[in-house]
Amino acid sequence: MAFTIEGAERAGRWLVTCDHATNRVPVEVNGGSLGIAPEDMARHIAYDVGALGVARALGVLLDSPVVASDFSRLVIDPNRGEEDPTLVMKLYDGTIIPANRHVGAAEVERRLETLYRPYHAAYAQLAARRPDTVILAVHSFTPCLKARPPRPWHVGVLYGHADARLSQALLACLAQDRDLCIGDNEPYAGHLPGDAIDRHAIQPGRDNTLIEVRNDLIGSESQQQAWAERLAPSLRAALAMITA
C-alpha cells in the first residue's frame, strides 16, 4: 500500500498530511533495501522522524482526516514534483543511496506509478471531500545536518509567498508561547513548484500551512501527543483569524 488514511469520516475542515511518514522500502524496490545501513534508514534522510505521531494526534484533536505516505522518501519523494531533480535522491546529507545511484527512467516511472501517484490520488480525494478544506502538512527536521551549525528552532512554519495568510496567522499565534523558538520559513524556505502543498493547496486555492517540528523533541509517543496538544489551539486560532 502506498498510503494510510485515518479518520476519513471525521467532519473537520482540516486535512492533515504526512508526506514523509515512514522509512519503509517496499520489497519490489531492490528487494526491500536501498543498500544503506539501518542507522541511516533511522535518520531524517529516510523519513520525518516523529512526524506521523504528531499528525495522527492532530487529526484527532482537529476532528479531521489524516493521509500519510507508506514508503520512504528515499524510494521516491512525494513532496517533490514529478520533474524535480531531487525526486529520487542519490546522495543525501553525506550518505550515498546505492539502490538509487544508477536508477533509470523506467524504474523511476514504476515508483511513480505504484507509490507516488496513488498517494497523491488519495490526498486529492480527501482534499476534495468538502469545498473549504484546509491543508495542514506535518513534517520534522533534524537538529543538525552534517558539517552544518545546529538549528535552534523548536518548530518552523513554512509557506510560499503565493498564499502565506494562514501561515502568517499561525506564526502570530505561536509567538504567544514565549518558550518556543519559532522558525519563520526556517529551517528552510517554503514550498517548491510541484510539491504537495503547491499541487493540492496553492493551485486549487485552498488555505494551507506546513509545520516542521525538530525531531529530537518528538521521538516518543508522549512527546508527539504533547506537541499536537501544544499546536492545535494555535492552529484553530489562526484559522479563525483568516476566516473571521
Side-chain angles (χ1 to χ4, degrees):
M1 195 67 171
F3 57 88
T4 61
I5 294 172
E6 294 186 10
E9 73 290 347
R10 294 173 187 155
R13 279 187 66 183
W14 301 87
L15 172 59
V16 185
T17 71
C18 192
D19 298 323
H20 301 144
T22 175
N23 59 0
R24 186 179 78 91
V25 180
V27 68
E28 61 270 21
V29 177
N30 202 48
S33 170
L34 295 173
I36 66 175
E39 53 266 31
D40 274 326
M41 287 302 297
R43 293 204 300 133
H44 70 99
I45 64 171
Y47 74 122
D48 282 357
V49 178
L52 179 58
V54 176
R56 284 173 166 166
L58 280 169
V60 172
L61 292 166
L62 299 172
D63 190 32
S64 295
V66 180
V67 62
S69 66
D70 194 25
F71 52 92
S72 172
R73 67 188 299 172
L74 292 180
V75 173
I76 193 163
D77 194 333
N79 196 34
R80 297 292 184 271
E82 291 196 14
E83 304 302 320
D84 193 299
T86 64
L87 181 67
V88 178
M89 294 289 282
K90 300 180 179 183
L91 173 70
Y92 194 179
D93 195 24
T95 297
I96 294 171
I97 319 302
N100 292 346
R101 285 190 72 181
H102 305 294
V103 68
E107 174 61 12
V108 172
E109 177 60 27
R110 191 184 68 80
R111 296 183 194 183
L112 283 167
E113 192 62 25
T114 59
L115 299 167
Y116 179 104
R117 290 173 186 147
Y119 170 68
H120 281 287
Y123 192 143
Q125 184 173 10
L126 283 168
R129 80 196 192 287
R130 51 184 294 170
D132 59 351
T133 294
V134 181
I135 305 293
L136 167 61
V138 179
H139 291 255
S140 71
F141 64 95
T142 183
C144 189
L145 292 169
K146 289 185 176 180
R148 300 287 184 87
R151 293 163 158 175
W153 309 282
H154 301 123
V155 60
V157 178
L158 274 58
Y159 54 90
H161 294 289
D163 183 6
R165 295 176 306 134
L166 182 56
S167 295
Q168 292 290 351
L170 179 57
L171 284 164
C173 292
L174 289 172
Q176 303 304 308
D177 188 338
R178 301 298 182 183
D179 294 329
L180 282 181
C181 180
I182 304 162
D184 181 343
N185 255 349
E186 299 284 0
Y188 21 76
H191 314 309
L192 299 168
D195 71 7
I197 288 286
D198 183 54
R199 179 172 180 167
H200 297 286
I202 302 296
Q203 293 183 33
R206 296 185 177 110
D207 291 321
N208 66 90
T209 191
L210 188 155
I211 290 176
E212 292 263 4
V213 185
R214 205 175 70 206
N215 68 23
D216 61 323
L217 303 176
I218 51 172
S220 70
E221 187 174 332
S222 62
Q223 289 174 314
Q224 293 157 14
Q225 181 67 36
W227 267 93
E229 291 174 1
R230 193 173 192 176
L231 292 167
S234 290
L235 286 160
R236 293 191 198 97
L239 184 57
M241 286 171 63
I242 69 165
T243 56

